[in-house]
Amino acid sequence: MRLVFLLLLSFQSVANNIDKRSHNIFLTAPAETQHKKINPPLSQCGRLRAQHLSTLLSYSNIQSVYSTTNLNAMETANPIAKKNKIPVKIFIDNLLDSLAITVIKENKNVLIVADNDKIRFLVEFISQQELSKSQEHTQHLLYQITLLDGHKILTILKQPLKC
């Protein structure tokens, strides 16, 4: 019994040390919108997808949320920010490299919501990996970049929600 307890303490210690040495940057495009007009709000399906994203990331200890000024991006970012009781930080579109450097140096788990082109740039800049055409972003994809001891691990997740 004592050996099992010591093993559990050892695993907990390893997990805590890895947790302190790593952080995750999650990136996604805004969820679906109502119209193809300028700066549209989310559709009912988009609001559902934003809630789903919040649930999906609920155990990820998100400590910062960034969004463009677009209404659909802010509405996508809002549920996870509210759940974690943190503000949505607005970033300037033409300073993407500065945003990337900031979130790397923050050493926190972060969510970034922006349009497809900005997400593609940020994923490639932060992960230092080029995305193939088959990895073009849609509302259904969530990019996770894990930074651990100088290594950058890119994982592409697909949200299973269908409206």
Side-chain angles (χ1 to χ4, degrees):
M1 183 68 148
R2 184 178 170 151
L3 180 61
V4 171
F5 180 71
L6 289 174
L7 284 172
L8 286 174
L9 280 177
S10 176
F11 284 129
Q12 181 68 30
S13 175
V14 168
N16 285 342
N17 284 337
I18 288 174
D19 225 22
K20 291 174 187 170
R21 293 187 341 239
S22 71
H23 66 283
N24 293 291
I25 301 169
F26 296 93
L27 305 101
T28 193
E32 294 85 351
T33 59
Q34 291 181 11
H35 309 286
K36 296 288 183 189
K37 64 182 184 179
I38 296 173
N39 205 16
L42 295 180
S43 64
Q44 183 176 349
C45 181
R47 288 189 299 278
L48 185 59
R49 185 171 308 285
Q51 284 297 341
H52 185 261
L53 178 66
S54 176
T55 301
L56 187 67
L57 295 176
S58 62
Y59 293 104
S60 297
N61 191 27
I62 299 296
Q63 298 160 299
S64 291
V65 176
Y66 291 88
S67 171
T68 61
T69 57
N70 293 342
L71 180 59
N72 59 357
M74 289 188 287
E75 287 182 346
T76 301
N78 229 8
I80 190 74
K82 280 185 180 177
K83 186 174 275 190
N84 291 323
K85 298 179 175 118
I86 55 177
V88 175
K89 300 174 185 177
I90 304 302
F91 67 88
I92 300 169
D93 294 349
N94 60 352
L95 297 176
L96 293 178
D97 50 350
S98 294
L99 173 65
I101 292 166
T102 297
V103 297
I104 290 168
K105 288 182 178 179
E106 267 187 339
N107 204 31
K108 295 178 180 178
N109 293 338
V110 173
L111 171 66
I112 300 172
V113 183
D115 67 46
N116 292 333
D117 293 338
K118 292 173 185 67
I119 291 297
R120 182 179 185 89
F121 174 86
L122 288 166
V123 167
E124 290 181 346
F125 187 93
I126 295 168
S127 71
Q128 298 177 340
Q129 296 178 41
E130 191 172 328
L131 296 176
S132 69
K133 281 289 186 191
S134 65
Q135 294 169 319
E136 290 279 325
H137 202 281
T138 70
Q139 289 94 352
H140 308 284
L141 296 182
L142 174 65
Y143 294 95
Q144 176 184 3
I145 304 169
T146 302
L147 290 89
L148 173 63
D149 291 334
H151 299 282
K152 297 172 181 177
I153 304 159
L154 174 61
T155 306
I156 302 172
L157 307 164
K158 185 172 183 178
Q159 295 181 57
L161 179 69
K162 292 187 180 184
C163 299

